[in-house]
Amino acid sequence: MADQYVQTPDGDVPAALPSLRWDEPPEGPVLALLDQTRLPSEEVELVCTDVPALVRAIQTLAVRGAPLLGIAGAYGVALAAARGYDVAEAASLLEGARPTAVNLGYGVRRAAAAYREALGKGASEQEAAAAALTAARELHREDAEASTRMAGHGLALLDELLPGGSHRLLTHCNTGRLVSGGEGTAFAVALAAHRAGRLRKLWVDETRPLLQGARLTAYEAAGSGMAYTLLTDNAAGSLFAAGEVDAVVIGADRIAADGSVANKVGSYPLAVLAKYHHVPFIVVAPTTTVDPQTANGASIVVEQRPGLEVTEVRGGMSVAPLGTRAYNPAFDVTPPELVTAIVTEEGAISPVTGDGIAELCARSRQVTIS
Ligand code: MRU
């Protein structure tokens, strides 16, 4: 059996389960994912015992968000190795599961390289599988540390840009604990502001069509006790016009060498609005999301998802006549001139330029993959 659901024990507080965990029951190692498609109404784990199950979980967005995709990809390689599957084939399946978040390929390649290197040094299959698992655990831990550092740099930047000290932030999609080894990227900055008593409000875009904002960010915001208000994506314009937004904070799936930012579809219109209304537009992402191999925004592959996600709402109810075709890109690309700053665990760059991106890459402690 490839997929298996496990109910949260009665009485658990929301989000008591980690977004992902490695487990070694007597039947063999598994990767247990907090199934994000079932949140916020149910908190259940999806237990993957093989790579095809994990690939399905990635494609259906049971596990999602750039940093967590990288971590899941690395554990996926470890799972294949530990269960004696072909690691090169597993790595290729995992890397191809979704095209836009660069972290996925990075995590997969890092664990696969650790496995190959161990074999190259004469290790047994079992020892090489252990090396892949160590690489996944290291990436997981590094991402948690990066979260903490991004939160600190992001809050410092907000305080510098918005001296009033009572920030009304707008965010899009979901960038918190659910997508990270730690407290996330953009959401971690909002959380740091909240803890420091400097967050007046988090505006949460619902994020059509899969509602990562309404289902997941509102869930995380509610759990943190911060003041937040949900809005439909198309209400953002009137919110800016009313002067209710002090800064936009979002995450990223891939940052190209010229500073172009791919993130959840709907980010680019927010950047245009922010520019028009003279509001800072801040991208928060670990350096594992920066991809110097992708020259510019036009070279970023944007995942196109099934039209049914637009023509139907959750539960499969149609909201358009049968046979209606839908345009459903999962991401859009914001050009660097619309981005006020990019905040990483290595600090922030502003303005966003190719030189700044190169400097961030030079500062990055990211493991080089041979
Ligand atoms: O399609 P998703 O839900 O995986 O998209 C996620 C996003 O676009 C996030 O904003 C991005 O991965 C940054 S997460 C820290």
Side-chain angles (χ1 to χ4, degrees):
M1 184 175 57
D3 301 1
Q4 189 183 341
Y5 285 97
V6 177
Q7 284 286 346
T8 312
D10 283 348
D12 265 5
V13 293
L17 291 170
S19 45
L20 160 164
R21 72 187 170 84
W22 176 266
D23 197 9
E24 296 187 5
E27 313 81 76
V30 298
L31 186 62
L33 310 168
L34 173 57
D35 185 347
Q36 299 194 26
T37 64
R38 311 265 292 256
L39 289 172
S41 45
E42 283 176 288
E43 199 183 323
V44 293
E45 279 189 331
L46 174 59
V47 180
C48 299
T49 57
D50 61 24
V51 166
L54 178 57
V55 168
R56 269 198 305 283
I58 291 172
Q59 290 173 339
T60 56
L61 273 55
V63 60
R64 47 155 293 283
L68 194 68
L69 285 174
I71 297 166
Y75 279 115
V77 169
L79 183 66
R83 286 195 170 252
Y85 302 127
D86 183 326
V87 168
E89 192 187 315
S92 145
L93 279 174
L94 286 164
E95 203 172 339
R98 291 186 78 190
T100 307
V102 66
N103 304 61
L104 176 58
Y106 173 72
V108 167
R109 287 193 301 274
R110 184 160 157 185
Y115 173 82
R116 274 195 318 270
E117 266 167 43
L119 283 183
K121 287 182 186 154
S124 65
E125 288 283 344
Q126 208 182 0
E127 288 163 339
L133 181 59
T134 301
R137 287 191 162 131
E138 272 168 14
L139 178 61
H140 200 166
R141 184 181 41 74
E142 286 164 16
D143 190 67
E145 284 166 12
S147 261
T148 309
R149 291 162 62 94
M150 282 185 280
H153 292 308
L155 182 59
L157 179 71
L158 282 179
D159 289 344
E160 191 186 313
L161 294 171
L162 311 169
S166 173
H167 313 315
R168 293 164 304 174
L169 307 178
L170 171 66
T171 195
H172 190 70
C173 198
N174 172 255
T175 61
R177 194 179 68 80
L178 290 169
V179 297
S180 159
E183 289 186 323
T185 60
F187 188 82
V189 174
L191 199 55
H194 166 62
R195 288 181 182 144
R198 297 203 283 283
L199 181 75
R200 190 161 9 144
K201 155 106 73 180
L202 183 66
W203 294 107
V204 178
D205 258 10
E206 69 170 351
T207 318
R208 276 280 289 158
L210 297 179
L211 306 176
Q212 288 94 330
R215 293 188 302 106
L216 308 176
T217 302
Y219 170 77
E220 294 193 309
S224 76
M226 67 173 61
Y228 74 96
T229 300
L230 184 66
L231 63 146
T232 60
D233 300 345
N234 43 12
S238 56
L239 194 67
F240 276 97
E244 291 284 332
V245 182
D246 297 319
V248 178
V249 285
I250 62 157
D253 286 85
R254 188 179 295 246
I255 300 174
D258 71 341
S260 295
V261 175
N263 191 50
K264 179 52 58 194
V265 67
S267 300
Y268 169 55
L270 289 178
V272 175
L273 276 170
K275 185 78 163 183
Y276 184 77
H277 291 281
H278 308 291
V279 164
F281 184 87
I282 300 166
V283 173
V284 187
T287 51
T288 45
T289 302
V290 180
D291 176 20
Q293 311 304 326
T294 297
N296 51 40
S299 324
I300 297 177
V301 178
V302 171
E303 176 186 4
Q304 301 293 323
R305 294 193 56 91
L308 277 183
E309 290 178 350
V310 176
T311 57
E312 291 184 352
V313 288
R314 284 163 71 73
M317 192 181 78
S318 262
V319 290
L322 213 63
T324 299
R325 276 191 283 201
Y327 170 60
N328 189 20
F331 304 97
D332 59 24
V333 177
T334 300
E337 59 274 18
L338 297 185
V339 181
T340 310
I342 294 178
V343 177
T344 72
E345 76 280 14
E346 301 301 341
I349 57 163
S350 179
V352 176
T353 60
D355 286 349
I357 295 290
E359 200 190 308
L360 276 181
C361 292
R363 270 190 254 161
S364 165
R365 277 161 278 183
Q366 211 180 108
V367 169
T368 317
I369 302 165
S370 50

